[in-house]
Amino acid sequence: MKGIKLLALAAFSAAFLSFTPENKKLIVIDAGHGGNDMGAHRNGIYEKDIVLSIGKEIQKFNATQSKYEVILTRDSDTDLPLSERTIFINQLHPELVISLHINSSADRHSTQEGPEIYTQNTENSKKLAERISRKFNVQKIEDRNLHILRESKVPAVIMELGFVNNPKDETYMSSEAGQKEIARKLTEVFKEY
């Protein structure tokens, strides 16, 4: 089954690249989790759904941007293992990768809130994190040895958009207005890249 998925990803990558205008650069948005892997969740709100919705909004906002083409690692509620995500990313040779996630604190009384960014231990990944940080009130930026960061051969960051168990963050991230604002801000980062 894994071999079939990898073959399908390779065929999609080849077909996609053959139709992408040569002057457009690729940006990959990785909508974390999916399928049976719900990610962080609370009150019927699931990380996998929120990050996918934001990824699709990024594509819509970017549609008028002539410099970049935004590709999602998943465009439906499917479970795509991390190894397959990074194979897909590396076959595309994008300019950058932003993996979208939502945090959750183990302490239900925690007051933690706001976005956090995890980077590769590379200068370009850290520069990308700084650009994102200027658009958002980022609480923390730090290096992490996580699969998407370690295995992506291009500048990559993981952006935790907020804490699902913080009522303010939860309301913002799950609202249509909040998702559109997050997507718009990330699209503005591309324009500056």
Side-chain angles (χ1 to χ4, degrees):
M1 187 63 151
K2 274 191 175 185
I4 293 170
K5 282 184 182 178
L6 287 173
L7 185 60
L9 278 173
F12 171 79
S13 297
F16 175 79
L17 290 173
S18 67
F19 291 108
T20 302
E22 287 183 32
N23 58 344
K24 284 204 175 187
K25 297 177 180 180
L26 299 179
I27 291 175
V28 172
I29 300 296
D30 173 47
H33 307 281
N36 292 329
D37 180 3
M38 297 176 288
H41 55 91
R42 182 173 181 254
N43 298 331
I45 295 169
Y46 298 99
E47 176 177 5
K48 67 175 187 171
D49 298 329
I50 291 174
V51 296
L52 179 59
S53 178
I54 291 169
K56 289 180 176 182
E57 286 296 328
I58 291 169
Q59 278 189 316
K60 287 180 197 172
F61 274 109
N62 191 67
T64 58
Q65 164 71 274
S66 61
K67 189 176 175 183
Y68 293 106
E69 182 76 26
V70 172
I71 306 300
L72 301 178
T73 54
R74 66 179 182 93
D75 61 4
S76 62
D77 186 19
T78 55
D79 183 7
L80 188 61
L82 289 172
S83 59
E84 291 180 28
R85 290 176 197 249
T86 50
I87 288 169
F88 177 66
I89 288 165
N90 291 329
Q91 286 175 340
L92 290 175
H93 304 290
E95 292 295 304
L96 59 95
V97 177
I98 299 174
S99 185
L100 301 177
H101 289 269
I102 291 175
N103 246 331
S104 180
S105 173
D107 177 4
R108 59 182 218 163
H109 301 294
S110 172
T111 58
Q112 288 181 289
E113 66 178 335
E116 298 179 345
I117 301 176
Y118 302 120
T119 66
Q120 299 165 318
N121 188 17
T122 67
E123 185 179 338
N124 286 335
S125 178
K126 291 174 184 178
K127 283 182 181 176
L128 174 58
E130 288 168 13
R131 287 188 172 146
I132 294 170
S133 179
R134 287 194 291 268
K135 296 286 179 189
F136 296 86
N137 183 21
V138 174
Q139 302 299 305
K140 173 172 66 173
I141 298 175
E142 67 178 44
D143 292 352
R144 285 278 179 97
N145 184 24
L146 300 170
H147 185 90
I148 289 281
L149 301 175
R150 184 178 62 249
E151 300 300 323
S152 294
K153 298 186 182 343
V154 298
V157 298
I158 293 175
M159 183 171 185
E160 298 279 358
L161 299 167
F163 286 79
V164 73
N165 54 335
N166 177 289
K168 180 181 163 190
D169 284 358
E170 176 193 338
T171 299
Y172 176 68
M173 293 182 299
S174 62
S175 73
E176 183 179 342
Q179 291 176 10
K180 285 180 184 287
E181 183 176 49
I182 292 166
R184 179 184 52 77
K185 286 181 177 181
L186 285 170
T187 304
E188 288 170 1
V189 170
F190 309 157
K191 292 178 182 177
E192 297 169 3
Y193 198 76

